[in-house]
Amino acid sequence: MAKELCVLAYSGGLDTSVAIRWIAENYDVDVIAVAVDVGEEKDYEGIRKKGEQVGAVEAIVVDAVDEFYDDHILPALAANLMYEGKYPAFTALARPLLAKHQVRIAQEKGATYVAHGCTGKGNDQVRFETTYQALAPELKCIAPAREWGMSREEAIDYAEKHDIPVPVGKDSPYSTDTNLWGRSIECGLIEDPSVEAPEDAWEWTVSPLEAPEQPTYVKIAFERGAPMALDGKQMPGPQLVSTLNQIGGANGVGRVNMMENRLVGIKSRELYETPAATILLAAHKDLESLVLDRETMHFKPYLEMRYAELVYYGLWFTPLREAIDAFMAETQKTVTGEVTVKLYKGTAEPVARTSPYSLYDFGLASYGEADSFDASKAEGFIDIWALPARVTNAVRRKMEQ
Ligand code: ARG
């Protein structure tokens, strides 16, 4: 009789490789390994082969780079997505997409189980499983790394016993997660927040100390909130983002070092490298400040904060997330134009912007000859504006006597 199937989210790393074997053994099922490409530049064919070699009955690679860009990064940019003001939430953005493809394949193959390699202490388990439950509550979930209780050393022993290749040589002391929108670095020396992060944690960015002495300028063209061209050259979004990761990284841009509040209640010290996200978010916000009316601009950040929480908390497949996306999309109708960003030793500063929808009126703003603002009207405006302040303060003074 054919065994039941389990579809595992597979990265090719030690933990999920051990998981293939561990799940097959402990649940007596056949494991299908699924690796989803969301823009981490690695050898996916090699990962696929490794999945089968370590015991998966089938290993599948899904190219989801464009989908990640179109359906996750662009809405995040429209919402200026930044969790706790610092983290562009790239891991949180990708997890629902990984889980969605896993669920799709599980349904196509008639699997009973889905599985992920997350530990019991992080946010990622919540994001995977919330998506499973939203999209396919009938699937049962296996979380080996939460269940097996193995230390890293024990996992390595287990791997060696079962002929699972253990990465040697440059065995990173850190735990990392990478996609098109950023790279996270955790564990090891980073766990002591009272100590500055070691330089070897950074891979995408040079130290600002070593960045060029001269600034680099990049000009980004947006259409309805979406980046379309870099320095006058049209290019597909994912290519634009990875190009900016290179240029930004070479200028030391995009290093994030923060204390973060996890959904599971733990405070953690996090390092992120997000050159493209840092540059694009700065440029996008800057363009919005040129084209959005004051009231929209002052209101939008409230929803941006809620949006960041929803994404971080794994609530991607929820009505509120969709409703906020619809609001954001409405605000992006005029976010078209060009922004020049100056990259210099770790900073990314928008220094010039233009838009056909610009609300800037030179005649109104200028103190020079072109002045077209009728300042005499200001007097009456201020009289009425100040009325409540005049009345309340007069009463207060009387009461104090
Ligand atoms: N703290 C970040 C988050 O919760 C990054 C998590 C990185 N995940 C990982 N499996 N290494 O989104």
Side-chain angles (χ1 to χ4, degrees), residues 84-162:
E84 297 188 335
K86 285 186 148 182
Y87 167 43
F90 51 88
T91 294
L93 273 172
R95 292 309 190 216
L97 182 58
L98 267 51
K100 185 182 92 174
H101 281 291
Q102 241 188 308
V103 164
R104 173 179 60 75
I105 290 169
Q107 288 172 335
E108 283 167 12
K109 304 275 179 189
T112 312
Y113 297 95
V114 278
H116 60 73
C118 310
T119 69
K121 292 177 70 166
N123 300 311
D124 289 327
Q125 53 174 344
V126 182
R127 298 167 183 151
F128 271 108
E129 292 177 39
T130 301
T131 304
Y132 301 154
Q133 293 193 21
L135 302 184
E138 69 282 4
L139 291 171
K140 291 187 239 172
C141 174
I142 305 173
R146 202 167 57 196
E147 297 169 24
W148 66 33
M150 280 192 264
S151 67
R152 188 167 173 84
E153 290 70 29
E154 288 165 334
I156 290 173
D157 282 349
Y158 184 97
E160 279 167 354
K161 219 184 292 161
H162 292 91

Side-chain angles (χ1 to χ4, degrees), residues 87 91-92 95 123-124 127 175-177 184 186 260 270 272 312:
Y87 167 43
T91 294
R95 292 309 190 216
N123 300 311
D124 289 327
R127 298 167 183 151
S175 157
T176 63
D177 183 57
S184 72
E186 296 174 319
E260 179 174 303
E270 303 281 339
Y272 301 115
Y312 188 86

Side-chain angles (χ1 to χ4, degrees), residues 9-317:
Y10 185 56
S11 72
L14 177 70
D15 285 345
T16 51
S17 296
V18 166
I20 290 182
R21 195 54 200 247
W22 188 91
I23 293 169
E25 237 172 49
N26 286 269
Y27 283 82
D28 193 28
V29 292
D30 282 337
V31 176
I32 297 176
V34 174
V36 181
D37 181 357
V38 281
E40 177 173 11
E41 285 160 11
K42 51 185 188 181
D43 168 19
Y44 279 95
E45 181 48 25
I47 290 171
R48 205 192 56 72
K49 285 204 186 109
K50 182 174 175 187
E52 287 178 352
Q53 179 204 332
V54 302
V57 292
E58 188 182 356
I60 300 170
V61 174
V62 179
D63 176 356
V65 178
D66 289 338
E67 196 181 3
F68 182 50
Y69 179 79
D70 292 340
D71 300 347
H72 296 250
I73 291 180
L74 286 182
L77 193 54
N80 295 317
L81 172 53
M82 206 61 120
Y83 181 70
E84 297 188 335
K86 285 186 148 182
Y87 167 43
F90 51 88
T91 294
L93 273 172
R95 292 309 190 216
L97 182 58
L98 267 51
K100 185 182 92 174
H101 281 291
Q102 241 188 308
V103 164
R104 173 179 60 75
I105 290 169
Q107 288 172 335
E108 283 167 12
K109 304 275 179 189
T112 312
Y113 297 95
V114 278
H116 60 73
C118 310
T119 69
K121 292 177 70 166
N123 300 311
D124 289 327
Q125 53 174 344
V126 182
R127 298 167 183 151
F128 271 108
E129 292 177 39
T130 301
T131 304
Y132 301 154
Q133 293 193 21
L135 302 184
E138 69 282 4
L139 291 171
K140 291 187 239 172
C141 174
I142 305 173
R146 202 167 57 196
E147 297 169 24
W148 66 33
M150 280 192 264
S151 67
R152 188 167 173 84
E153 290 70 29
E154 288 165 334
I156 290 173
D157 282 349
Y158 184 97
E160 279 167 354
K161 219 184 292 161
H162 292 91
D163 288 326
I164 296 166
V166 178
V168 279
K170 204 186 145 254
D171 190 15
S172 167
Y174 309 113
S175 157
T176 63
D177 183 57
T178 302
N179 65 43
L180 190 60
W181 206 226
R183 173 175 183 266
S184 72
I185 312 108
E186 296 174 319
C187 300
L189 293 169
I190 294 161
E191 286 177 354
D192 183 352
S194 70
V195 176
E196 184 175 359
E199 196 53 37
D200 72 355
W202 309 106
E203 275 185 14
W204 283 13
T205 54
V206 302
S207 163
L209 285 172
E210 260 125 58
E213 294 301 322
Q214 296 303 319
T216 303
Y217 289 87
V218 287
K219 194 187 228 180
I220 300 148
F222 289 87
E223 248 174 67
R224 293 181 159 237
M228 305 302 288
L230 179 58
D231 295 326
K233 217 176 122 200
Q234 294 258 346
M235 58 180 86
Q239 188 192 335
L240 190 146
V241 172
S242 59
T243 309
L244 279 179
N245 275 330
Q246 301 287 335
I247 302 174
N251 283 281
V253 168
R255 288 190 175 188
V256 180
N257 173 354
M258 71 185 285
M259 296 306 300
E260 179 174 303
N261 290 293
R262 288 192 189 159
L263 174 59
V264 292
I266 298 169
K267 253 189 212 297
S268 64
R269 199 277 188 89
E270 303 281 339
L271 300 186
Y272 301 115
E273 294 183 280
T274 62
T278 300
I279 296 166
L280 287 171
L281 286 162
H284 178 262
K285 272 193 187 179
D286 187 82
L287 185 56
E288 285 191 334
S289 70
L290 182 68
V291 301
L292 293 186
D293 64 288
R294 182 182 66 202
E295 299 312 310
T296 303
M297 238 187 100
H298 289 187
F299 178 72
K300 193 168 175 276
Y302 292 107
L303 288 190
E304 290 175 355
M305 206 185 81
R306 280 300 277 130
Y307 192 81
E309 283 174 349
L310 289 174
V311 170
Y312 188 86
Y313 295 169
L315 299 174
W316 183 261
F317 290 101

